[in-house]
Amino acid sequence: MEFLLHIPWWLWILIVLVLIAIRDVFLQRKHTITHNYPIIGHLRYLLEKIGPELRQYLVANNREELPFNRIERSWIYASAKKENNYEGFGTERDIYAHHHIFVNNAMIPFSIDANHPNSIDKTFLPCAKIMGEFNKRKKPYRPASVINVSAMSFGSLSAKAIESLNKGVKMAGAYHNTGEGGLSPYHTYGADIMFQFGTGYFGVRSKDGSFSMKKLKELVDDHSFIRAIELKLSQGAKPGKGGVLPGAKISKQIAKIRGVELGKDVISPPNHSAFTNVEGMVNFIEAIAEETGLPVGIKAAIGNLEQWETLAEIMLETGKGPDFITIDGGEGGTGAAPPSFADHVSLPWVYGFSDLYKVFLNKALTERIVFIGSGKLGFPAKAAMAFAMGADCINVAREAMMSIGCIQAQICHTNRCPTGVATQSKWLQNGIDPKLKSFRLAQYFKTFKKELVEITHAAGYEHPCQFKMSDIEMNVDDHNLAKALNKTYAYEKTPVPFFGMQNLKDCVYLGGKN
């Protein structure tokens, strides 16, 4: 022992390195690099492991990273913290880049007087349409905000993250989509709720895994803040494939809420067992609306349009169908998904939405549907584009996560999220203060709506629903080849009936008041 105590620290390091080298050369055969280059090979694997962080902070420029570059993340962070989100000395974006958005401003902007709702509240921006109005649902609903929290389940996100989102959504006057993981206690802090279920029927699931209308009706009756129901057909991250929740993220509480086994991967089937075709889906929607009285809609990523054509024909013939449709872009995704699906299956939002909107436009059905856009639309200019194309509301997921602390570490599926947002680790969640983070979510929403209102006024309109497709141009190459949206996507948006912001403010269905 005395001999060991007298060995200098640098010699201990040398001894450890020699032992590692002996192990690499003579004992292990799994990794060729460390066998051929002992010690140095380990450095290579270390650099590979921390490569994303090195690129994010030291290598990539402000416009390079995906899915969200540094400019986009910085705008969200600054907006959420109520800091200066302005930029000086001109834009850093490449305004000649493909798909860059240009809003055609009016020579004389829209002017508001001292009594206008936006003079009183610069963030007042409700949806111009009412969910369930056409189909005469018992409880129609006009979302009080055009920007809302998209479907992210408790399980995929942590308890404190869901709590922060819900409290923040209440402050912002928006709604909170539960995701397909069921209604948790962390969704019950007073915000309007859009209850979503998918093929696993979590939260409304019978013992055999099938859908239970009785459980859904009891859930709605017991929770008056549920304003609408969304039937998930598919999502942008993995269309045509069921949701995946790794077993490592399933706690006893999650297992109880979802009605699944503890510690086992939860993989929802790709198909619904409650219906097998489009006609059956419409009947299913009508049965839910009749039982609950709530507006019922569907969420899907867009690809083949044949079955959507069938849906439009059934809606035209019967006068029945979904009250709203959430269109998810292939670029979306907050959960775990195989790269083959995330990268290649389903269309990006602008392509998917324009294709789908035309299906209902050709049947003169667009006025009876509330269209919700989802897929990297959480920025005012992108939202203006979405409204010009026919969207009525915007759902945000990853942008909302970033407003409460997400740093785009891209390890959501590992249960090791360093910010505690997308993990079930109690230790990592402790870093989230729901009181602070809820304020930041609310502030991001308020900043978003304020800037969207200002862009709208600059274009000469009172509400974003008034945007026409010709008001937005998208860069193709140079300006001689740039096209307005109506020329790019070959359709004209149906004008949305709008009678002024005051009319929306006075609506009895605003924010589920009635």
Side-chain angles (χ1 to χ4, degrees):
M1 285 296 296
E2 188 175 348
F3 171 74
L4 293 177
L5 290 173
H6 283 84
I7 296 176
W9 63 267
W10 57 267
L11 190 55
W12 278 116
I13 295 175
L14 186 61
I15 291 170
V16 170
L17 292 177
V18 169
L19 291 174
I20 291 173
I22 292 171
R23 171 193 170 275
D24 287 341
V25 174
F26 297 105
L27 300 178
Q28 74 88 21
R29 289 289 184 270
K30 189 176 180 180
H31 300 291
T32 305
I33 292 292
T34 52
H35 175 270
N36 293 343
Y37 301 95
I39 302 173
I40 294 176
H42 289 283
L43 181 60
R44 182 259 183 198
Y45 286 118
L46 175 63
L47 291 172
E48 182 181 51
K49 188 174 182 179
I50 63 173
E53 288 81 2
L54 291 174
R55 289 190 294 273
Q56 185 178 66
Y57 295 110
L58 300 176
V59 180
N61 69 37
N62 288 346
R63 303 188 304 268
E64 263 184 347
E65 296 172 275
L66 290 173
F68 293 88
N69 62 43
R70 190 176 292 126
I71 294 175
E72 293 168 329
R73 296 198 311 275
S74 296
W75 183 83
I76 293 172
Y77 296 145
S79 298
K81 295 174 184 177
K82 209 174 180 178
E83 295 175 351
N84 185 350
N85 64 1
Y86 285 31
E87 59 183 39
F89 214 65
T91 180
E92 284 190 70
R93 294 182 182 273
D94 181 1
I95 61 174
Y96 302 103
H98 184 63
H99 272 208
H100 188 81
I101 297 165
F102 300 95
V103 179
N104 289 328
N105 59 298
M107 185 172 72
I108 301 175
F110 182 84
S111 177
I112 59 176
D113 58 34
N115 296 318
H116 190 277
N118 287 131
S119 292
I120 300 167
D121 179 2
K122 296 182 185 300
T123 69
F124 179 73
L125 194 57
C127 180
K129 288 182 182 175
I130 301 174
M131 293 179 179
E133 182 179 41
F134 178 87
N135 290 316
K136 295 180 172 59
R137 307 303 187 198
K138 295 172 188 174
K139 302 173 184 176
Y141 175 61
R142 185 195 295 275
S145 170
V146 296
I147 175 174
N148 302 280
V149 169
S150 191
M152 295 181 286
S153 304
F154 170 53
S156 178
L157 265 57
S158 68
K160 287 193 175 182
I162 295 292
E163 179 183 344
S164 300
L165 293 174
N166 194 260
K167 289 179 175 178
V169 161
K170 182 182 179 182
M171 285 187 267
Y175 68 70
H176 187 181
N177 192 309
T178 62
E180 66 171 319
L183 185 73
S184 75
Y186 311 106
H187 289 103
T188 60
Y189 291 96
D192 285 353
I193 287 292
M194 179 177 284
F195 178 76
Q196 184 196 84
F197 65 87
T199 58
Y201 304 118
F202 304 126
V204 290
R205 176 186 176 101
S206 299
K207 288 184 179 180
D208 63 357
S210 62
F211 173 76
S212 171
M213 183 69 80
K214 180 183 176 183
K215 284 191 175 182
L216 177 61
K217 192 171 187 309
E218 289 174 352
L219 188 75
V220 171
D221 290 343
D222 293 342
H223 302 91
S224 60
F225 49 76
I226 297 178
R227 307 298 186 187
I229 296 170
E230 184 175 78
L231 170 63
K232 191 184 91 167
L233 303 177
S234 59
Q235 66 186 84
K238 40 188 175 290
K241 183 178 177 63
V244 180
L245 182 64
K249 297 182 77 171
I250 300 177
S251 64
K252 289 182 180 180
Q253 187 180 34
I254 292 169
K256 183 179 179 181
I257 291 169
R258 295 197 177 204
V260 297
E261 291 186 54
L262 183 66
K264 288 190 176 181
D265 290 354
V266 176
I267 303 176
S268 306
N271 298 96
H272 278 269
S273 60
F275 54 87
T276 56
N277 54 34
V278 179
E279 184 178 6
M281 181 187 73
V282 172
N283 293 333
F284 184 56
I285 288 170
E286 292 299 320
I288 292 173
E290 180 63 29
E291 285 291 328
T292 65
L294 297 176
V296 182
I298 55 178
K299 173 183 178 177
I302 310 303
N304 191 306
L305 296 175
E306 185 176 339
Q307 290 171 322
W308 291 101
E309 294 277 3
T310 302
L311 173 60
E313 290 170 7
I314 292 172
M315 290 175 66
L316 189 63
E317 291 170 5
T318 65
K320 301 176 180 179
D323 299 294
F324 61 91
I325 299 176
T326 302
I327 297 91
D328 203 10
E331 61 270 65
T334 57
S340 53
F341 274 80
D343 296 345
H344 300 290
V345 183
S346 91
L347 295 171
W349 190 84
V350 287
Y351 303 149
F353 183 87
S354 58
D355 284 356
L356 185 71
Y357 190 87
K358 282 186 280 189
V359 169
F360 294 98
L361 179 66
N362 293 337
K363 303 287 185 183
L365 295 169
T366 52
E367 289 188 9
R368 51 189 273 193
I369 301 169
V370 175
F371 290 97
I372 303 172
S374 175
K376 287 187 70 176
L377 298 174
F379 304 91
K382 285 189 175 181
M385 175 198 71
F387 277 94
M389 294 178 70
D392 300 295
C393 279
I394 301 298
N395 280 357
V396 295
R398 289 170 293 181
E399 298 95 321
M401 289 169 65
M402 282 188 275
S403 75
I404 64 169
C406 168
I407 60 170
Q408 193 171 280
Q410 297 181 274
I411 52 174
C412 311
H413 57 294
T414 66
N415 203 34
R416 299 195 307 271
C417 171
T419 61
V421 174
T423 178
Q424 297 308 311
S425 164
K426 297 292 185 184
W427 171 258
L428 293 172
Q429 286 187 59
N430 283 338
I432 297 178
D433 177 3
K435 185 176 180 180
L436 171 64
K437 299 301 185 181
S438 59
F439 172 81
R440 289 187 178 179
L441 181 280
Q443 190 57 48
Y444 160 61
F445 271 29
K446 289 176 181 178
T447 302
F448 181 103
K449 288 188 285 185
K450 175 180 173 290
E451 293 195 12
L452 179 56
V453 166
E454 291 170 347
I455 288 177
T456 302
H457 291 173
Y461 301 120
E462 186 178 6
H463 190 284
C465 74
Q466 297 174 283
F467 272 113
K468 300 188 295 292
M469 295 189 75
S470 57
D471 292 317
I472 309 291
E473 292 188 28
M474 187 175 284
N475 217 14
V476 179
D477 191 351
D478 61 29
H479 193 250
N480 293 320
L481 293 176
K483 292 183 179 180
L485 293 178
N486 57 330
K487 295 179 180 178
T488 302
Y489 297 110
Y491 72 93
E492 290 285 353
K493 163 196 166 183
T494 304
V496 175
F498 176 69
F499 305 101
M501 283 288 201
Q502 190 63 48
N503 179 266
L504 301 185
K505 189 174 182 179
D506 297 336
C507 176
V508 295
Y509 303 120
L510 180 65
K513 285 189 294 188
N514 192 352

